[in-house]
Each structure stands twice: as structure tokens, then as C-alpha cells.
């Protein structure tokens, strides 16, 4: 079957990033009962939040499942563990990904019980938005205890770590804040567009979804100033973002499943897949993982995947 133009463009973009053979890249759709949403890459597999559990999946199917009352937000894998926010009880689960067992439950508070948030790692710590009034908890993985609390703008739910710093977005205040992990304090911030949300640090910049404007903002990490914007659509509510392979990858909710953006020119290099509602996205050197929770599915985009239609 003839490939759509958007997918052909995606193939070329991936080839330029030393990804799989672009001539063979396809989407493999995996049925996931429940509400598969946020993702964390674990080698050739991926962990996904679901209703009352987190699950490990490969392109061949489910590998493991761990009970968590209400897993929420983006997870991280660091220090030999999977770290998952639990919105029901306001705590953080530490899970051994090899044995699929809970190692610790740490009381942190969760800033956004609705579930839109990030747990991230960096500077030898795990960071969790812990209070909607404007607090981030810093956890020492050696002791599983909160060692510091960072004061930030109210409504700060979204985090990323990169360029030797923690980056925190408040949608309410329309701000991106740079937190110095040496002092546990905000050292600089910049005003953003309407309803900023998820962000990623890498490929030379900090990238923030300005969800209400349908744009992605590029922020210079050295000066903490907006150095450019790309218009993706009318809205980006509620998508996801990642970086890697020389590209910015954006999970969208309208017009397509995701787009690939050139970080230098800010040109959209590809629009791939059909619209599939809200979901998450994670980049790997071998392909792209996406979820579509309303369609109860997880997709693996790679050269090894077989077309589903």
C-alpha cells in the first residue's frame, strides 16, 4: 500500500538521525485494555501507566504488571528503579523493574491529583511536584527520603532535567523556571504563552508545549529566553513531548498522532499517523512509542514493525 506523505517524511527524518531503515518504518498497534497513558522507556520495552497499575510492554505484548492505586503523570527510570507518582495517596512508588516489585513508598505530596505532571531524575535525585501552592520535593534515592523542598510558582506541575538544571513549568503563571540543584532555588524564569504544559530538555534547548496556543517554544538554557516558536496546530491539549536523534518529537491531539520538528530551523519535518486523542510519546534510537488511551492502544513505530492495515 502506498505510504501517506506524512509518514514518508517521517521516514526520512528518522534516517537522518541514524534511526532504522526509513524504507521499512511502520506502526505496530498493540491493544492495551484499560487506560494506557504515560510512558517510560526501559531498554527495548516500555512502562505505561494504566488504571490501578503500571505495565511493562514490548512490541510482542505485556511483560509485567505492578499494582499502584492511581498512577499518574510521566514516570522516570533512574538508579535502577521505576519512579511513579500515585495520585490517590499523594506519594511516590519506587519499583524494581527487573522483579516488578514495589521497593518503597515515599510520602511526598502530589501537586496535581488530576494527574498531569512529571517525575524526573537529575543531580543524583528524584524530583516530584509536591504541592499546588508551589513546591517541588527532592528525594534522595539512597535513603528514599525527601531531602529538600523547592519553592516555585503556584501551579507548577511540569518538570524536566537537563543542562545541569531542573526546569519547571507553571501553567497558571505561564512561567518556565530554572532551578539550580546546588541551591534548590529558582535562579531565573521566563514568561510563556497560553497554558504551557509538558516540556523536554535536550537538542540544544528546553522545549515547552504552549498548549493553548498550539505552539512549541524553544528556550535557550543559557539565557533562559525564548529563542523561537513553531506553530503546530490550533491546540496541543493534552499531548506530550520528547527529544532525541536530532529531533523534537511532539505527541498531538488533533490532525495527526505526532510530529517531528527540526530543532534548528523549527520546521515541521513530519506529521505521522491519524488523530488518536490524548496520549504520550517517548523516543528511542530504534523507534517511537506512543499511547492513545481513549483507543486503548500502544503503538510502536519502527523498521521492524508490521503495518496494521
Amino acid at each position: 500500500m502506498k505510504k501517506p506523505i506524512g509518514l514518508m517524511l517521517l521516514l526520512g527524518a528518522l534516517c537522518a538521525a541514524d534511526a532504522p531503515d526509513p524504507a521499512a518504518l511502520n506502526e505496530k498497534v498493540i491493544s492495551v485494555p484499560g487506560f494506557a497513558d504515560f510512558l517510560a522507556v526501559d531498554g527495548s520495552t516500555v512502562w505505561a501507566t494504566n488504571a490501578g497499575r503500571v505495565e511493562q510492554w514490548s512490541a510482542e505484548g505485556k511483560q509485567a504488571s505492578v499494582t499502584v492505586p492511581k498512577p499518574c503523570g510521566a514516570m522516570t527510570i533512574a538508579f535502577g528503579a521505576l519512579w511513579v507518582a500515585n495520585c490517590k495517596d499523594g506519594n511516590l512508588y519506587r519499583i524494581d523493574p527487573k522483579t516488578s516489585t514495589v521497593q518503597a513508598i515515599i510520602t511526598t505530596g502530589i501537586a496535581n491529583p488530576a494527574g498531569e505532571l512529571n517525575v524526573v531524575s537529575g543531580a543524583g535525585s528524584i524530583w516530584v511536584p509536591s504541592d499546588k501552592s508551589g513546591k517541588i520535593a527532592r528525594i534522595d534515592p539512597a535513603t528514599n527520603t525527601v531531602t529538600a523542598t523547592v519553592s516555585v510558582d503556584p501551579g507548577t506541575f511540569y518538570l524536566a532535567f537537563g543542562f545541569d538544571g531542573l526546569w519547571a513549568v507553571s501553567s497558571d503563571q505561564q512561567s518556565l523556571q530554572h532551578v539550580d540543584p546546588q541551591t534548590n532555588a529558582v535562579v531565573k524564569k521566563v514568561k510563556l504563552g497560553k497554558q504551557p504544559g509538558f516540556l523536554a530538555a535536550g537538542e540544544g534547548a528546553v522545549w515547552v508545549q504552549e498548549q493553548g496556543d498550539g505552539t512549541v517554544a524553544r528556550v535557550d538554557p543559557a539565557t533562559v529566553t525564548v529563542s523561537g516558536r513553531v506553530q503546530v496546530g490550533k491546540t496541543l491539549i493534552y499531548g506530550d513531548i520528547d527529544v532525541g536523534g536530532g529531533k523534537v518529537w511532539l505527541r498531538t491531539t488533533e490532525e495527526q498522532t505526532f510530529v517531528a520538528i527540526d530543532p534548528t530551523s523549527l520546521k515541521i519535518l513530519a506529521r505521522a499517523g491519524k488523530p488518536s486523542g490524548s496520549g504520550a510519546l517517548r523516543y528511542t534510537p530504534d523507534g517511537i512509542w506512543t499511547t492513545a488511551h481513549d483507543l486503548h492502544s500502544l503503538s510502536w513505530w519502527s523498521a521492524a514493525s508490521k503495518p496494521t492495515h
Side-chain angles (χ1 to χ4, degrees), residues 51-252:
R53 60 197 184 275
V54 291
E55 297 173 328
Q56 184 184 29
W57 290 82
S58 72
E60 286 68 51
K62 186 165 68 173
Q63 306 297 305
S65 180
V66 181
T67 298
V68 178
K70 189 180 178 182
C72 57
M75 305 170 286
T76 192
I77 293 180
F79 312 106
L82 173 70
W83 304 84
V84 186
N86 171 31
C87 277
K88 181 177 180 180
D89 304 309
N91 50 30
L92 180 70
Y93 272 57
R94 177 176 184 156
I95 296 170
D96 185 334
K98 293 182 179 180
T99 62
S100 302
T101 56
V102 177
Q103 295 178 308
I105 301 174
I106 306 162
T107 300
T108 57
I110 297 296
N112 185 15
E116 299 291 310
L117 58 100
N118 299 79
V119 174
V120 301
S121 61
S125 303
I126 302 297
W127 308 80
V128 183
S130 56
D131 193 302
K132 66 180 180 180
S133 67
K135 302 292 182 184
I136 299 172
R138 182 175 187 172
I139 297 97
D140 181 354
T143 60
N144 295 322
T145 58
V146 176
T147 57
T149 300
V150 181
S151 296
V152 288
D153 286 344
T156 294
F157 304 148
Y158 308 96
L159 307 180
F161 199 98
F163 306 105
D164 298 320
L166 180 69
W167 302 88
V169 166
S170 167
S171 186
D172 292 347
Q173 301 297 311
Q174 295 179 232
S175 65
L176 172 66
Q177 305 149 86
H178 182 201
V179 176
D180 183 350
Q182 299 300 316
T183 61
N184 294 317
V186 174
V187 292
K188 193 173 271 190
K189 62 182 175 180
V190 63
K191 190 77 170 180
L192 296 170
K194 184 179 178 182
Q195 202 173 344
F198 289 107
L199 67 159
E203 301 300 342
V206 179
W207 305 86
V208 188
Q209 290 179 304
E210 294 171 317
Q211 298 176 122
D213 293 329
T215 54
V216 173
R218 181 180 64 192
V219 177
D220 183 329
T223 61
V224 192
T225 57
V226 176
S227 62
R229 283 187 170 89
V230 53
Q231 187 76 45
V232 178
K234 293 181 180 179
T235 179
L236 295 175
I237 303 171
Y238 294 95
D240 198 7
I241 192 168
D242 202 4
V243 291
K247 306 290 182 293
V248 179
W249 305 91
L250 185 70
R251 174 70 169 86
T252 60

